[in-house]
Amino acid sequence: MSFLELNLHPSILSNLADQGYQSPTPIQAQAIPVAIQGKDLLGIAKTGSGKTASFVLPLLNELVSKAVSERNRQPNVLVLVPTRELAVQVADVFKVFSRNLKHPVKSMAVFGGVSINPQMKAIFGVDILIATPGRLLDLQRSNAVDLSKVKRLVIDEADKMLNLGFKKEMQEIIALLPKKRQNLLFSATLSDQLAGLNSVVLSNPVVIKIEEKVADVELINLSGYFVSDERKGPLLRHLIRAKKMKQVLVFTSSGIKANKVAAKLIKNGIPALPIHGKKSQSARLAALDKFKSGKLQVLVATDLISRGIDIDALPYVINYELPRSPKDFVHRVGRTGRAKSEGLAISFVNREETHHLKVILKKMKRYIDMIDSETLDF
Ligand code: ADP
Ligand code: MG
């Protein structure tokens, strides 16, 4: 299939060509026509399968033909995401595909952790607002934004957004939106509670679920090491050197641990930075930028970064500690093996974590050949 068959505006098609997007991914091929028709949609497809463009392209397509004067000076499209980093990333995708449109479309990301004033000033006249829930509510409460003109709502990482942690804020936001609107929800992992919450947000949605074909080569290879806590640091350094890892994203279970692991790597001459919720927003964005642009070898992160973040051709992910939930495991390892490039996700497992790994793998329907680190020389 070609993008030409999706009835997209010529200027969007030319932006697609500039970005090297030759043909739509399966979720794009199925979701874009449904979204253009104005229907509600629940799109489920694995990590790295191109869900962002599945909503960015039809939404821009809708706005591209409308002169600025025909639009409201308040957001027409609202995209909700769980983290600040993802808000910035999604806004960048909107910007890339909004280049040289006949009528300019203004998109902007708003998120907490930075001062609110510049956002209040810049928000006027924005067509597409990409937001984390807390800051959006702050802006709304200070009358900087009016959500009553939102015609289309996107919830990316929908399972996370409709989960307990965000429930109150999400209910508050949804109550501020017009009842009649289009809703587009996307997720790689769909949990049981989502089905119930769907009915709150979606009305008669078209459900698109891209099943992985058995014949598909799994792009994310998994491997694991049995290793004691004391030996995790040395094993990490050994693997980085032995496998000549140009870039690796290491996950720990806490910010304190991320700091420690990064400090130890630096001490051993391996460039690393930690990223987690206790870091300032500028440090978070700077570390991620450096990593995304390939100028940083190791990023040590908490699950903050496990959702949605797209790092071009990232070859390695290492679980220094296992995440608590199998879903987080899926999202963590899903930072590699994206957009048709292969990746390896390595898990470090101590004695106490062995059973938990079994649970995770069973849920994922995957198998890992474990290596006993005691047999290695490092
Ligand atoms: P998901 O949200 O499903 O995890 P993303 O939307 O972040 O995935 O896309 C993953 C990567 O694939 C991004 O780098 C994106 O630019 C690239 N990509 C998406 N669609 C296409 C396409 N049709 N052709 C080529 N690359 C694509
Ligand atoms: Mg995504």
Side-chain angles (χ1 to χ4, degrees), residues 117-316:
N117 287 349
Q119 293 180 354
M120 289 171 106
K121 283 189 193 130
I123 209 167
F124 185 73
V126 162
D127 304 295
I128 299 170
L129 190 61
I130 303 103
T132 54
R135 177 51 61 94
L136 179 66
L137 284 169
D138 287 344
L139 286 161
Q140 196 275 336
R141 288 186 198 115
S142 21
N143 292 322
V145 65
D146 171 8
L147 297 178
S148 71
K149 302 291 185 291
V150 170
K151 292 200 176 60
R152 292 179 177 77
L153 171 70
V154 177
I155 309 183
D156 196 14
E157 304 292 340
D159 59 336
K160 175 95 187 169
M161 300 301 289
L162 297 172
N163 210 329
L164 278 181
F166 284 112
K167 198 170 174 186
K168 227 180 127 255
E169 290 173 321
M170 289 298 284
Q171 282 173 340
E172 217 176 307
I173 291 168
I174 286 166
L176 293 165
L177 305 176
K179 289 229 161 41
K180 198 171 162 293
R181 56 167 202 272
Q182 184 183 20
N183 301 291
L184 307 169
L185 270 60
F186 289 90
S187 176
T189 44
L190 186 65
S191 59
D192 303 339
Q193 84 265 28
L194 185 65
L197 282 156
N198 268 342
S199 52
V200 183
V201 184
L202 294 164
S203 79
N204 284 328
V206 175
V207 179
I208 299 172
K209 185 166 186 184
I210 307 295
E211 302 284 353
E212 284 168 56
K213 289 192 214 93
V214 184
D216 274 357
V217 189
E218 185 57 67
L219 289 170
I220 307 169
N221 300 300
L222 300 178
S223 84
Y225 292 84
F226 287 123
V227 56
S228 65
D229 285 343
E230 314 78 76
R231 297 283 286 159
K232 281 185 174 181
L235 177 61
L236 177 62
R237 299 194 291 276
H238 166 73
L239 290 177
I240 290 173
R241 291 189 179 120
K243 293 188 184 287
K244 300 194 173 61
M245 296 184 182
K246 274 208 185 108
Q247 271 209 307
V248 53
L249 177 58
V250 178
F251 282 103
T252 60
S253 50
S254 73
I256 295 172
K257 195 66 187 216
N259 285 343
K260 278 193 188 146
V261 170
K264 198 74 194 218
L265 286 170
I266 293 167
K267 213 172 144 199
N268 284 277
I270 299 171
L273 281 174
I275 184 166
H276 51 77
K278 295 270 148 51
K279 286 264 161 201
S280 74
Q281 192 51 38
S282 56
R284 275 165 62 168
L285 288 174
L288 189 59
D289 255 4
K290 208 168 166 195
F291 193 64
K292 278 194 176 190
S293 60
K295 289 182 207 121
L296 174 69
Q297 192 179 4
V298 188
L299 187 66
V300 189
T302 58
D303 281 303
L304 180 77
I305 288 302
S306 72
R307 288 272 178 167
I309 298 300
D310 185 48
I311 300 144
D312 197 27
L314 175 67
Y316 295 101

Side-chain angles (χ1 to χ4, degrees), residues 3 16 19-25 27-28 45-55 57 86 89 93 97 156-157 188 308-313 334-335 338-340:
F3 278 111
L16 279 164
Q19 288 307 304
Y21 282 36
Q22 285 173 355
S23 54
T25 65
I27 183 74
Q28 290 161 5
K46 66 177 181 176
T47 54
S49 60
K51 292 188 289 298
T52 319
S54 307
F55 58 85
L57 300 174
L86 189 53
Q89 180 181 298
V93 176
F97 290 115
D156 196 14
E157 304 292 340
I309 298 300
D310 185 48
I311 300 144
D312 197 27
R335 295 316 99 208
R338 300 172 72 76
K340 297 199 173 147

